[in-house]
């Protein structure tokens, strides 16, 4: 069942965070839906601009329509991840997305407000919610690469003005995470004091944490054992921090890289262990099962596992 993020965030606020997972193909969708069904967790399917153009934007919509029929009991929202103005407008027009993210965080404050406001006006006219971003994460997202020294944390002193002027429905805050597999080389460096101050200034307002993959070391080790060349000194976000974030006003936690690591590990292992195989389905089957297992585990960490029945009561469905 496709639902709005508004209802999800109201239910989650202060208690847990909803996992927002990126998909690019049918196997990722099947693993994701199975894992959320197994853990009875509401979730957000995220589609990036890159994912929309990987096969064809209509392909992912069709996959999700089919998944909605295959898994009638799951509760999910469909979200554009890191949109620009044209892609947001396209998704708003398509009528399929329940929310879009306008990421104008690279622009100066006033310009970020202007762009975000235009998207909010168009989206709200169609009852679609908008996530905006203030502050800038490091790492690579879409075609923009932000070095760690250019990344900057969200300034809590700006958030009330930003939300008031734009009318956005949720706010992605930079608190020290970054996109990709290499987030921290030393200590964690997550700035919960920034989230706490933002939550104090914006009571009950849904906050979003990007760059939240945990980059499990075991996955990295296994990938490298079977010929991969990932750096082993870098770490992702400690899972304990994700649980804490969910209790501090973060209602949406974005995870993409970890899913790519599961995909990479499974396929490297499968090619190495079964060199005679040239059929795409055996590794695909293993990937779907392993990804479902990862997702169910992550939903437990986020606190979203087991929340579907209670959320359905709130939704009166
Ligand atoms: O933050 C970006 C997400 O990980 C999506 O990545 O643009 O390569 O699909 P992508
Ligand atoms: P990761 O690279 O940590 O998975 O972050 C994903 C993300 O923020 C998608 O918007
Ligand atoms: Zn992101």
């Amino acid at each position: 069942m496709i639902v709005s993020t508004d209802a999800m965030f109201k239910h989650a606020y202060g208690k847990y965070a909803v996992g927002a997972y990126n998909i690019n193909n049918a196997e990722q969708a099947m693993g994701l839906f199975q894992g959320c069904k197994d853990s009875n967790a509401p979730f957000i399917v995220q589609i990036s601009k890159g994912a929309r153009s990987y096969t064809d934007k209509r392909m992912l919509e069709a996959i999700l329509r089919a998944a909605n029929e295959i898994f009638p009991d799951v509760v999910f929202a469909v979200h554009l991840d890191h949109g620009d103005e044209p892609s947001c407008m396209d998704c708003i027009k398509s009528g399929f997305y329940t929310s879009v993210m306008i990421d104008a965080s690279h622009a100066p404050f006033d310009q970020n407000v202007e762009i975000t406001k235009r998207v909010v006006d168009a989206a709200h006219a169609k009852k679609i919610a908008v996530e905006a971003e203030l502050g800038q994460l490091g790492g690579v997202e879409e075609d923009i690469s932000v070095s760690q020294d250019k990344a900057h944390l969200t300034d809590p002193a700006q958030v009330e003005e930003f939300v008031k002027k734009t009318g956005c429905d949720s706010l992605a805050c930079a608190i020290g995470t970054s996109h990709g597999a290499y987030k921290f080389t030393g200590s964690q460096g997550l700035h919960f004091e920034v989230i706490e101050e933002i939550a104090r200034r914006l009571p009950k307002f849904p906050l979003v944490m990007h760059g939240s993959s945990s980059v499990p070391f075991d996955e990295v080790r296994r990938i490298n054992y079977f010929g991969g060349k990932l750096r082993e000194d870098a770490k992702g976000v400690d899972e304990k921090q994700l649980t804490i974030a969910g209790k501090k006003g973060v209602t949406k936690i974005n995870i993409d890289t970890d899913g790519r690591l599961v995909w990479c590990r499974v396929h490297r292992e499968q090619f190495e262990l079964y060199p005679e195989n040239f059929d795409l389905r055996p590794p695909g089957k293993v990937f779907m099962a392993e990804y479902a297992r990862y997702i169910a585990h992550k939903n437990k960490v986020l606190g979203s596992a087991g929340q579907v029945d209670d959320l359905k009561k709130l939704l009166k469905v």
Side-chain angles (χ1 to χ4, degrees), residues 22 46 81-82 178-180 183 210-213 254-257:
N22 291 66
Q46 303 211 113
D81 188 30
H82 291 287
S178 59
H179 291 106
K183 301 186 195 300
H210 284 243
S212 300
S213 278
N254 285 17
I255 295 174
D256 182 13
T257 295

Side-chain angles (χ1 to χ4, degrees), residues 1-11 16 42-43 73-77 307-317:
M1 179 192 311
I2 302 179
V3 305
S4 78
T5 45
D6 292 358
M8 281 184 179
F9 293 161
K10 258 190 207 99
H11 188 253
Y16 67 93
F43 62 106
D73 297 332
V74 303
V75 174
F76 67 103
Q307 297 288 351
V308 159
D309 298 339
D310 200 48
L311 174 59
K312 280 184 174 170
K313 275 187 214 143
L314 179 77
L315 290 163
K316 297 193 176 43
V317 288

Side-chain angles (χ1 to χ4, degrees), residues 6-7 14 18 24 30 34 37 57-58 76 82 128 141 144 175 177 192 216 223 233 253 298 311:
D6 292 358
V18 180
N24 297 270
M30 287 301 283
Q34 187 64 52
K37 180 182 177 213
K57 60 188 183 187
R58 291 165 296 186
F76 67 103
H82 291 287
I128 293 168
E141 72 197 30
I144 301 173
I175 63 159
T177 63
F192 278 128
I223 288 169
D233 60 335
I253 286 191
K298 194 54 60 163
L311 174 59

Side-chain angles (χ1 to χ4, degrees), residues 4-152:
S4 78
T5 45
D6 292 358
M8 281 184 179
F9 293 161
K10 258 190 207 99
H11 188 253
Y13 193 92
K15 292 183 290 187
Y16 67 93
V18 180
Y21 303 101
N22 291 66
I23 65 154
N24 297 270
N25 64 14
E27 287 82 354
Q28 277 183 310
M30 287 301 283
L32 172 57
F33 277 70
Q34 187 64 52
C36 289
K37 180 182 177 213
D38 293 346
S39 53
N40 210 24
F43 62 106
I44 297 169
V45 183
Q46 303 211 113
I47 301 176
S48 70
K49 278 186 288 156
R52 294 180 90 226
S53 59
Y54 168 56
T55 48
D56 184 292
K57 60 188 183 187
R58 291 165 296 186
M59 186 66 84
L60 288 175
E61 291 185 16
I63 287 171
L64 290 174
R65 284 200 175 92
N68 195 25
E69 284 179 22
I70 299 165
F71 298 90
D73 297 332
V74 303
V75 174
F76 67 103
V78 183
H79 178 76
L80 170 70
D81 188 30
H82 291 287
D84 53 13
E85 201 170 342
S87 55
C88 282
M89 295 306 184
D90 195 46
C91 290
I92 291 166
K93 209 168 68 185
S94 94
F96 186 65
Y97 291 70
T98 45
S99 55
V100 295
M101 175 192 190
I102 172 67
D103 182 356
S105 59
H106 50 277
F109 183 86
D110 289 340
Q111 215 181 325
N112 188 351
V113 167
E114 273 171 38
I115 299 167
T116 302
K117 172 87 171 78
R118 281 199 294 272
V119 170
V120 167
D121 288 345
H124 285 183
K126 288 199 151 190
K127 296 196 170 14
I128 293 168
V130 177
E131 173 185 330
E133 180 166 332
L134 194 57
Q136 209 167 7
L137 273 73
V140 181
E141 72 197 30
E142 296 289 349
D143 40 2
I144 301 173
S145 168
V146 184
S147 63
Q148 226 41 45
D149 50 321
K150 291 257 171 53
H152 55 87

Side-chain angles (χ1 to χ4, degrees), residues 148 153 174-178 183-194 236-238 241:
Q148 226 41 45
L153 303 185
I175 63 159
T177 63
S178 59
K183 301 186 195 300
F184 312 103
T185 42
S187 61
Q188 285 283 298
L190 280 203
H191 291 269
F192 278 128
E193 76 285 1
V194 173
V237 180
D238 188 323
Q241 311 265 33

